[in-house]
Amino acid sequence: MSDIGSDEFDEEQNKLGEYKGDRNEAGERHGVGKAVLSNGDIYEGEYENGKRHGQGTYRYKNGARYVGNYNQNKKHGQGTFWYPDGSKYEGSWVDDLRQGRGVYTYPNRDTYDGEWQNHVRQGQGVYHYHETGSRYKGTWLNGNMGNSGEYIHSNHRYQGNFVSNNPMGPGKYVFDIGCEQHGEYRLVEQVDQYAEVMPELRRLRTRAPGTGT
């Protein structure tokens, strides 16, 4: 889930590649142009005073691709990045990082739709598990489920607090037939080992988002 490829490049090194397009009076790339870099990457789009600035498409030699807005050589604004592993991010960028609102589609077709900060899930968001149809809706902290959230399944849902992708503390199941069952997750004996008042709560533990495990 990271930008794989030659995302940054030195403008002096770029002179070893080929460029066709507009230039300003100082001879800098300025306007619209296409650059074929010496490492095999290709950028086609807008420049300003020698730097990628405005709308553009950057194709990496490893198959990755970015289409969107640039600011002073960095992905900034709205854009879509296709990764070599088949995943895709579509949304807001700030200084080359996923930040703001965006949708990430993982190789296994799981999706996360929500807020990002410094390239990780942070804030409010919804993670949808493609294989089961279940989804988590709530708060994310440093890429993990944290604080208050809701796990929604086909015929019931769990509402409570989460710590590092696991439920922790008081919570309840709400069933579609109209009944509720209350319980609590708590640590016992070993770190990362969870026990619960209700046996049914054990079924809530699933693989971590985006890991496939």
Side-chain angles (χ1 to χ4, degrees), residues 8-77:
E8 297 288 337
F9 57 89
D10 187 275
E11 196 65 26
E12 290 299 319
Q13 286 185 328
N14 281 346
K15 293 180 179 179
L16 299 177
E18 300 178 359
Y19 173 76
K20 294 182 180 179
D22 301 330
R23 294 182 182 272
N24 59 18
E25 294 181 355
E28 300 172 315
R29 300 171 185 182
H30 189 90
V32 178
K34 178 179 180 180
V36 180
L37 309 184
S38 58
N39 64 0
D41 293 351
I42 300 174
Y43 172 76
E44 187 169 6
E46 296 178 314
Y47 284 88
E48 184 175 281
N49 298 326
K51 296 183 178 180
R52 300 186 300 277
H53 193 89
Q55 290 295 309
T57 298
Y58 195 107
R59 294 180 173 85
Y60 299 82
K61 62 181 180 181
N62 62 9
R65 176 166 53 103
Y66 172 77
V67 178
N69 197 68
Y70 279 93
N71 182 63
Q72 298 295 300
N73 263 0
K74 294 183 177 181
K75 297 185 290 293
H76 193 96

Side-chain angles (χ1 to χ4, degrees), residues 192-210:
D192 293 331
Q193 181 179 358
Y194 290 82
E196 61 283 338
V197 174
M198 299 180 301
E200 289 84 353
L201 289 180
R202 189 180 299 275
R203 294 178 299 175
L204 182 62
R205 300 191 66 190
T206 61
R207 62 178 172 78

Side-chain angles (χ1 to χ4, degrees), residues 9-189:
F9 57 89
D10 187 275
E11 196 65 26
E12 290 299 319
Q13 286 185 328
N14 281 346
K15 293 180 179 179
L16 299 177
E18 300 178 359
Y19 173 76
K20 294 182 180 179
D22 301 330
R23 294 182 182 272
N24 59 18
E25 294 181 355
E28 300 172 315
R29 300 171 185 182
H30 189 90
V32 178
K34 178 179 180 180
V36 180
L37 309 184
S38 58
N39 64 0
D41 293 351
I42 300 174
Y43 172 76
E44 187 169 6
E46 296 178 314
Y47 284 88
E48 184 175 281
N49 298 326
K51 296 183 178 180
R52 300 186 300 277
H53 193 89
Q55 290 295 309
T57 298
Y58 195 107
R59 294 180 173 85
Y60 299 82
K61 62 181 180 181
N62 62 9
R65 176 166 53 103
Y66 172 77
V67 178
N69 197 68
Y70 279 93
N71 182 63
Q72 298 295 300
N73 263 0
K74 294 183 177 181
K75 297 185 290 293
H76 193 96
Q78 294 296 306
T80 302
F81 200 109
W82 289 265
Y83 296 88
D85 63 0
S87 59
K88 180 180 75 170
Y89 172 78
E90 183 175 7
S92 178
W93 298 81
V94 175
D95 290 337
D96 266 343
L97 300 176
R98 295 184 292 267
Q99 184 150 323
R101 185 84 181 188
V103 179
Y104 199 107
T105 303
Y106 296 85
N108 62 0
R109 293 193 286 178
D110 287 359
T111 60
Y112 170 78
D113 184 347
E115 297 174 316
W116 297 78
Q117 186 174 342
N118 294 326
H119 233 41
V120 299
R121 298 179 296 251
Q122 179 82 10
Q124 295 297 306
V126 178
Y127 191 101
H128 180 264
Y129 294 89
H130 173 76
E131 184 177 357
T132 64
S134 298
R135 65 187 186 275
Y136 169 82
K137 180 180 180 180
T139 306
W140 296 79
L141 298 174
N142 196 30
N144 298 316
M145 302 172 188
N147 291 339
S148 61
E150 184 176 31
Y151 234 131
I152 305 170
H153 302 278
S154 59
N155 58 2
H156 63 279
R157 63 186 61 203
Y158 173 79
Q159 299 171 339
N161 289 324
F162 291 78
V163 176
S164 297
N165 292 327
N166 291 294
M168 174 65 70
K172 67 178 181 179
Y173 266 98
V174 179
F175 297 89
D176 290 351
I177 58 176
C179 66
E180 295 185 3
Q181 194 168 16
H182 295 246
E184 182 178 357
Y185 276 96
R186 55 188 175 86
L187 286 171
V188 293
E189 296 181 358

